[in-house]
Amino acid sequence: MPEAVMLLVSPAGCGRHGAITSIQKGYKNRLFFLHMSESDIVNGQHLDKIFAATANILAEVDPRPKAMMICASCIDDLLGSDYEAIAEELERKHNIPIKACHMDPIAMEGSKPPVRTIQQAIYDFIPRVSKKDNAINIIGSFPPLDKDSEFKKIMSAAGIEKIRHIAECSTLEEFYQMGCSSYNIVIKPRGLMAAEYMKKRLDIPFCYAPAAYSIETINRTYKKLEEFLGMKLDTDRYSEKARQVIDRHYATLGPLTVVVGEIIENDSTYELARALIEYGFKVPYIIANRILDIDLEHINWLKTHAPDIVVFTNAHPSMTDFLQNNLKVDIAIGMDAAYFFPHAKPIPLRLDTQLYGYKGIESLLELICQAFDNPQDIKKLMYGLEN
């Protein structure tokens, strides 16, 4: 969120993860940490320290932040600490918007995992407005859509005047303009809770149009958007071009073997496996810890068309010895897949990568080609080092 900072209140171990990530991602000057001791946890003293820490951050950071998030960790959720009340008191005291959020991996398998509640907390900053414009918000993805994506061209040709995305907002005021948009399009499951919330609070209807890699799935997604927006979308030429791109790359790459991992930015492990098989590639293995509602259609398709696929869950204790299996494929998509298949060419698809629509197919195939031309070191990728 532009012109904002975050204070993470956590034990030192959790803060360490956050600190390393903030350095790797280049926002260490916007993320602050308040470490709690065992004594703090017993006595609740860390909650009192949040007030002094917030005052210190707002006094020292130049320019002064215009908004702030106070982020609780698992242990405070177990304690039942009321961060929302703390945020309200801090907001009144410092006269800037301050909201609470929760980074609590213990809730990862529940109905409100942190990847969803944090998105809701972010969009909760947007004030309600009465006047709407002919614009679309893209929700669910922190990286923006590819500038070369056909999505923006198709929407512009259909009459949509502006497409807004949080990563393309350079100021807090510009971010607030997302409240003026008439439509939300959710491209990842993690944005659904935020979209539901924005529908109720900001009166912005939403359409769930998740990222996909199969041409048929993408065709159906654009049809769904046509019905939602009530306008004709001209997609035929882009669909045809994508088919030609697949044929051209398959002629070059041949019947590759691919393992698809779960840690991919588009939350569509099974759909991606299906798409790769439709392209002509072989997918002998999938690594996935969970099954989302959107996966069921593609799992049923895979049961019919690729019944020999083996699915591993990296949360299983036996995965600690997985490398001894020495399984081999040509390409590993996702950081987890690349870790368990170290002989494969890795395609990380990290959090800074966003593929969408027909252009996403082309970009994915280009990444596969690049993996052969310039193979990357998985250890350097894991630690954010230059390859």
Side-chain angles (χ1 to χ4, degrees):
M1 198 167 68
E3 301 183 288
V5 295
M6 174 184 280
L7 173 64
L8 174 62
V9 184
S10 72
C14 303
R16 176 182 177 275
H17 290 299
I20 292 173
T21 303
S22 69
I23 293 170
Q24 291 177 336
K25 298 296 181 182
Y27 49 78
K28 66 177 182 179
N29 295 328
R30 299 177 61 198
L31 183 57
F32 299 85
F33 303 91
L34 175 59
H35 295 166
M36 59 176 71
S37 66
E38 292 184 357
S39 174
D40 287 333
I41 295 167
V42 172
N43 297 310
Q45 294 173 328
H46 63 291
L47 300 178
D48 295 331
K49 295 176 182 177
I50 293 174
F51 292 88
T54 300
N56 186 47
I57 292 167
L58 295 178
E60 295 295 328
V61 175
D62 185 21
R64 187 176 190 264
K66 295 183 178 179
M68 186 169 180
M69 298 187 82
I70 310 295
C71 186
S73 59
C74 298
I75 197 161
D76 263 317
D77 284 355
L78 291 170
L79 291 169
S81 304
D82 190 349
Y83 273 65
E84 281 69 23
I86 293 173
E88 288 177 7
E89 187 172 343
L90 288 169
E91 190 173 79
R92 288 193 297 270
K93 184 174 183 179
H94 296 286
N95 199 31
I96 64 169
I98 298 179
K99 306 288 184 185
C101 66
H102 300 259
M103 176 49 71
D104 43 3
I106 58 169
M108 192 68 77
E109 303 303 323
S111 60
K112 296 181 178 179
V115 292
R116 297 193 181 200
T117 59
I118 284 182
Q119 293 224 8
Q120 178 179 320
I122 290 172
Y123 292 108
D124 190 29
F125 280 88
I126 298 176
R128 181 183 176 87
V129 296
S130 56
K131 187 177 180 181
K132 302 292 185 184
D133 57 21
N134 190 21
I136 284 174
N137 293 330
I138 301 297
I139 304 295
S141 163
F142 286 134
L145 299 183
D146 188 336
K147 292 181 180 178
D148 297 326
S149 170
E150 82 284 347
F151 181 86
K152 294 183 178 180
K153 298 173 185 174
I154 289 172
M155 292 300 164
S156 177
I160 296 297
E161 296 173 355
K162 190 173 183 61
I163 296 174
R164 297 188 172 103
H165 185 279
I166 184 172
E168 295 173 332
C169 300
S170 57
T171 65
L172 191 63
E173 187 60 36
E174 197 173 337
F175 171 63
Y176 286 165
Q177 292 298 310
M178 293 183 75
C180 300
S181 296
S182 296
Y183 312 99
N184 277 340
I185 295 179
V186 183
I187 66 170
K188 294 182 182 177
R190 65 191 64 178
L192 281 171
M193 186 179 290
E196 290 277 6
Y197 184 72
M198 293 170 77
K199 180 181 178 181
K200 294 177 182 176
R201 198 175 73 81
L202 303 179
D203 197 24
I204 303 177
F206 73 90
C207 178
Y208 183 34
Y213 296 90
S214 162
I215 286 183
E216 297 308 318
T217 307
I218 296 171
N219 288 345
R220 282 189 278 122
T221 298
Y222 274 116
K223 288 295 181 187
K224 187 177 180 181
L225 288 172
E226 276 190 343
E227 295 175 5
F228 171 68
L229 299 170
M231 55 183 65
K232 175 66 177 175
L233 302 179
D234 183 11
T235 62
D236 291 347
R237 55 178 166 154
Y238 299 107
S239 177
E240 180 56 31
K241 181 185 176 185
R243 293 184 190 280
Q244 295 173 4
V245 167
I246 292 171
D247 291 342
R248 186 173 71 247
H249 280 85
Y250 182 79
T252 303
L253 295 167
L256 299 175
T257 54
V258 185
V259 55
V260 181
E262 185 177 64
I263 306 176
I264 56 176
E265 177 58 358
N266 291 296
D267 293 318
S268 52
T269 304
Y270 294 97
E271 197 279 337
L272 176 55
R274 169 183 177 171
L276 291 166
I277 293 171
E278 290 178 343
Y279 298 170
F281 300 146
K282 297 177 181 178
V283 181
Y285 310 111
I286 290 173
I287 296 178
N289 289 334
R290 55 184 176 164
I291 296 175
L292 304 175
D293 291 343
I294 59 171
D295 294 325
L296 296 178
E297 171 196 351
H298 308 295
I299 290 174
N300 287 330
W301 187 94
L302 292 169
K303 285 168 62 179
T304 301
H305 296 84
D308 295 330
I309 287 182
V310 180
V311 180
F312 298 102
T313 169
N314 61 23
H316 195 277
S318 64
M319 294 299 281
T320 55
D321 299 322
F322 183 85
L323 292 177
Q324 297 177 12
N325 296 325
N326 199 29
L327 299 179
K328 294 183 179 179
V329 293
D330 297 312
I331 291 290
I333 298 180
M335 291 291 280
D336 52 357
Y339 173 80
F340 288 115
F341 290 80
H343 301 291
K345 304 289 189 301
I347 299 178
L349 288 186
R350 295 169 298 182
L351 294 176
D352 54 356
T353 304
Q354 178 53 61
L355 309 180
Y356 194 79
Y358 303 113
K359 177 63 179 176
I361 294 176
E362 183 175 351
S363 299
L364 176 66
L365 291 169
E366 288 174 353
L367 286 172
I368 292 176
C369 292
Q370 291 171 14
F372 282 98
D373 295 338
N374 299 294
Q376 300 187 70
D377 186 306
I378 180 60
K379 288 187 177 179
K380 289 184 177 179
L381 288 172
M382 290 175 64
Y383 290 102
L385 303 174
E386 293 286 336
N387 254 288

